[in-house]
Amino acid sequence: MVELAETAERVAATTKKLEKTALVADYLRARPAEEAAISALFLSGRPFPMREETTLNAGGALLWQQIKKISGKSDAQLEAAYRRHGDIGAVSAEVFPDGRPATLNVVEVERAFRQIAGARGVAAKTAALGELLARATRLEAKYLVKIMTGDLRIGLKESLVEGAIARAYGQSSAEVERANMLLGDIAETVRLAAAGRLGEAKMRLFHPLGFMLASPVESAEEALAYFKDPYIEHKYDGIRAQAHVSAGQVRLFSRTRDEITESFPELGEALATLAQEAILDGEIVAWSYPEKGSPQQGRAMPFSALQQRLGRKKVSQELMRQVPVAYLAFDMLYAGGNLLIDRPLAERARLVDELLAAPRSKILGISSCEALGSQSHLAFDPDVQPLAAQLIRAPVYRGSRSEQLDELFMAAKERGNEGLMIKDPNSVYTPGRRGKAWLKMKRELATLDAVVTAVEYGHGKRIGVLSDYTFAVWDGERLVNIGKAYSGLTDAEIAEMTNWFLEHTTADRGLRLDVEPKIVIEVAFNNMMRSGRHNSGYALRFPRIVRLRPDKRPEEADTLARVKDIYERQHRAAS
Ligand code: AMP
């Protein structure tokens, strides 16, 4: 154990990733396979393999108590040391007795961890923990405690340990990563790598795989620079969940790979009706069901609505009714015995379509499963199907021009979703990696505070009210127009503003009135372009009025310099 602790110290002492990897590789190579396996586990900051879900249940208080006992220090002395280090492992290194011989071996340590985890009752746990720590040197104690608290803080992510394994055993990093991802067990990965048998790693259902992550883009153009004919989905504002389903059994895992099945019993029941063994990737959202008989389909609610449902072990029927949820499935990693992550998204997406459209099995004893059927959008009747949770295939849109993406973005926003996910149909699923095969477009590019210079009468239900605003920014002392937008304001605000504009008209040009430049509005947009349409020399794509800014005086509105700045930033981001 002392060699592991010394290696960890050396790893902490360098910021260079290559050096960190080399240090760990040298250390692993010099050990027998089993010792190396356990060491790799400890060096990734875990006492047990991820897939096991075993926890030590030896919290900070228990550790503190033991450190106090072994060191003979007072609480005040320990607290002072903690304030200096901010890390209970480093505190141990300072206060543990000096000069003990190093006798611990990592394999023994792992056994001791298992004893601590398995000990029933505080007394037994304390005894097991005390026994281990009583044998540790200062440096060993430092790392034992760090591993037990799950935080090494030596700048060694699991991906670097994977790199070190590849290097130590002459295997490719990709193979090591893949095996570790499938096994969820870095110690087992070492055993296979050392024996040259990485290819034998198999996926285990009901153990979470890593989640594929997305990279942000600022604009439709930027997204289309990566690939031409994307799959486009709404970006829902909920929590990511991987659903493992087999023979009526379901487990849901969060992005942190924690199991969250208990918090969403109705989703478990709905997923259990799927016709095939599968691992799905999707988003759990709070779902707003339409009135019964309404042609509307319901919609995802913002994350704040879902919050009440998170982190609960027991969920009452009442809460399930108050905050109904839905699972929007957008990917599939495994189906009917086949791992799908190496297949292109286009193929995986088709399999998601098929699975969700297939008739569901009725293994449930409750009437709710009748409501699930093979349809996704059902009116919700709290009296008849109190727990019917929706499984919905997240709709996929196509569009290869930036205007189409912009329109979809607007539509997503209008439905209350966060924005768009833009995905490469040819891409494989890369668990735990953030790449450019999935792009997320969510933030407004920026908003501008602009001054209304002219207004026009609207159309349709906006006839008779001044609802189209032309707005401007400052170019020195002069206002220059930059865009025109239909008002995104409420009817009451529009009516009130109409009166104000009529009273403050400076020139009446029929349908269009020039008005005193007094009203400040906040404007959002998707993109900024150079254009001769307005005298600022710029125009906005899909401008929309976010709100009135009565708190701002016109002098405080934005300037042409800021517009130029946004334009340049946007183009830098796209290039
Ligand atoms: P962010 O949390 O901003 O990094 O965005 C990525 C997250 O968006 C994912 O982890 C999902 O939870 C969520 N998300 C919402 N809709 C989708 C979708 N259609 N495809 C993939 N991820 C989505």
Side-chain angles (χ1 to χ4, degrees):
M1 181 72 201
V2 76
E3 289 94 346
L4 179 116
E6 282 164 1
T7 305
E9 290 278 277
R10 272 184 237 124
V11 168
T14 173
T15 51
K16 298 201 183 82
K17 287 185 181 165
L18 268 178
E19 260 174 49
K20 287 178 191 275
T21 314
L23 283 165
V24 176
D26 291 345
Y27 167 84
L28 294 177
R29 205 182 295 117
R31 315 238 92 65
E34 191 51 28
E35 249 182 65
I38 307 291
S39 298
L41 175 67
F42 291 171
L43 285 168
S44 45
R46 296 173 199 279
F48 304 110
M50 188 155 51
R51 70 172 170 82
E52 279 188 29
E53 297 159 51
T54 314
T55 49
L56 274 174
N57 277 329
L62 209 61
L63 282 168
W64 189 264
Q65 208 184 35
Q66 285 306 309
I67 296 167
K68 191 174 158 193
K69 192 167 149 204
I70 294 170
S71 66
K73 302 283 183 202
S74 68
D75 278 329
Q77 286 171 312
L78 289 182
E79 274 158 23
Y82 186 75
R83 273 197 296 279
R84 271 195 303 284
H85 298 290
D87 175 293
I88 172 165
V91 170
S92 317
E94 185 182 315
V95 303
F96 258 54
D98 205 1
R100 286 181 170 176
T103 59
L104 282 170
N105 174 287
V106 285
V107 178
E108 264 181 288
V109 170
E110 197 233 15
R111 231 176 285 137
F113 283 161
R114 289 196 185 277
Q115 252 166 22
I116 298 169
R120 296 198 175 254
V122 180
K125 220 177 246 304
T126 310
L129 180 62
E131 217 171 286
L132 173 64
L133 288 178
R135 291 182 55 200
T137 66
R138 283 187 154 187
L139 192 59
E140 285 171 338
K142 177 175 179 178
Y143 284 96
L144 287 178
V145 170
K146 279 171 177 272
I147 296 164
M148 285 193 270
T149 50
D151 196 359
L152 285 189
R153 301 201 200 171
I154 57 170
L156 191 66
K157 287 196 301 189
E158 186 154 327
S159 55
L160 293 185
V161 181
E162 289 172 342
I165 298 170
R167 197 168 159 155
Y169 302 106
Q171 311 281 337
S172 82
S173 298
E175 259 186 304
V176 173
E177 277 166 29
R178 184 184 162 88
N180 189 33
M181 181 267 300
L182 292 176
L183 297 166
D185 184 341
I186 201 152
E188 187 64 18
T189 305
V190 171
R191 290 182 197 112
L192 291 181
R197 294 192 289 127
L198 280 173
E200 291 174 24
K202 289 268 175 316
M203 203 259 334
R204 306 180 197 198
L205 205 60
F206 297 119
H207 296 293
L209 297 173
F211 288 82
M212 178 154 175
L213 304 171
S215 301
V217 287
E218 296 289 339
S219 65
E221 282 82 0
E222 189 190 345
L224 290 169
Y226 289 110
F227 35 86
K228 292 289 165 247
D229 191 14
Y231 278 15
I232 305 157
E233 294 155 11
H234 285 192
K235 184 173 191 305
Y236 303 97
D237 193 7
I239 58 163
R240 185 83 174 268
Q242 196 177 95
H244 291 230
V245 184
S246 173
Q249 250 195 314
V250 176
R251 289 176 85 177
L252 286 164
F253 298 98
S254 71
R255 191 157 144 176
T256 47
R257 306 197 193 191
D258 294 310
E259 188 174 353
I260 51 170
T261 323
E262 280 174 328
S263 302
F264 303 102
E266 72 272 57
L267 285 181
E269 295 194 345
L271 284 156
T273 64
L274 287 178
Q276 207 184 22
E277 189 172 82
I279 299 179
L280 288 168
D281 190 4
E283 187 92 350
I284 298 176
V285 292
W287 192 254
S288 163
Y289 287 81
E291 296 287 310
K292 201 176 169 204
S294 152
Q296 299 215 320
Q297 301 180 332
R299 63 175 67 205
M301 301 289 286
F303 180 73
S304 52
L306 186 67
Q307 237 154 355
Q308 288 186 65
R309 292 290 308 262
L310 304 181
R312 292 184 185 253
K313 289 246 178 272
K314 284 225 154 48
V315 187
S316 67
Q317 302 261 334
E318 192 187 346
L319 187 62
M320 283 192 253
R321 271 189 214 107
Q322 269 169 6
V323 187
V325 294
Y327 185 69
L328 288 147
F330 48 70
D331 215 319
M332 183 138 83
L333 317 189
Y334 169 88
N338 298 315
L339 191 64
L340 304 173
I341 59 173
D342 293 330
R343 313 267 181 90
L345 172 63
E347 188 181 334
R348 302 195 310 273
R350 189 172 45 73
L351 293 171
V352 180
D353 291 342
E354 283 171 13
L355 181 63
L356 290 206
R360 306 280 166 79
S361 72
K362 298 205 176 132
I363 55 167
L364 298 181
I366 59 170
S367 64
S368 65
C369 69
E370 302 286 338
L372 298 168
S374 59
Q375 289 182 37
S376 47
H377 303 302
L378 297 161
F380 181 63
D381 182 340
D383 294 319
V384 181
Q385 283 101 23
L387 299 180
Q390 300 233 43
L391 298 186
I392 301 169
R393 199 298 175 223
V396 178
Y397 306 92
R398 303 301 296 270
S400 47
R401 285 182 292 114
S402 58
E403 301 82 59
Q404 291 171 310
L405 260 68
D406 282 332
E407 266 165 43
L408 286 166
F409 181 84
M410 295 263 284
K413 285 290 217 190
E414 255 158 44
R415 258 183 90 72
N417 296 324
E418 263 191 300
L420 296 180
M421 296 292 301
I422 302 159
K423 302 180 178 177
D424 180 355
N426 298 316
S427 63
V428 298
Y429 192 98
T430 51
R433 297 273 177 273
R434 191 181 300 284
K436 302 287 188 196
W438 285 15
L439 305 170
K440 55 187 176 188
M441 186 165 132
K442 64 175 177 180
R443 252 163 278 121
E444 310 286 358
L445 178 59
T447 60
L448 279 178
D449 291 329
V451 183
V452 180
T453 52
V455 289
E456 282 169 55
Y457 285 98
H459 311 275
K461 76 175 181 126
R462 295 276 157 86
I463 260 174
V465 286
L466 293 162
S467 62
D468 296 8
Y469 299 178
T470 298
F471 47 85
V473 292
W474 293 104
D475 178 16
E477 299 287 291
R478 188 170 76 109
L479 279 168
V480 287
N481 288 341
I482 183 160
K484 187 172 129 175
Y486 297 105
S487 174
L489 306 176
T490 63
D491 288 346
E493 281 172 325
I494 293 173
E496 191 182 323
M497 292 313 302
T498 297
N499 290 337
W500 191 93
F501 287 131
L502 288 172
E503 283 164 20
H504 296 83
T505 300
T506 52
D508 187 342
R509 304 173 196 277
L511 272 183
R512 180 183 164 99
L513 313 176
D514 289 352
V515 295
E516 288 177 29
K518 292 274 168 61
I519 301 296
V520 181
I521 53 175
E522 186 177 335
V523 184
F525 49 93
N526 287 20
N527 230 325
M528 192 176 273
M529 300 159 294
R530 284 205 151 279
S531 156
R533 191 168 353 137
H534 304 289
N535 61 347
S536 62
Y538 292 89
L540 307 176
R541 177 173 284 153
F542 291 118
R544 46 207 180 269
I545 299 171
V546 182
R547 60 181 146 248
L548 292 167
R549 294 300 306 255
D551 54 319
K552 288 214 167 182
R553 284 176 290 121
E555 306 85 84
E556 294 175 75
D558 278 312
T559 60
L560 193 59
R562 172 141 195 273
V563 167
K564 282 186 185 147
D565 189 46
I566 294 174
Y567 175 80
E568 273 156 25
R569 264 192 297 130
Q570 171 195 321
H571 281 255
R572 264 202 308 276
S575 61

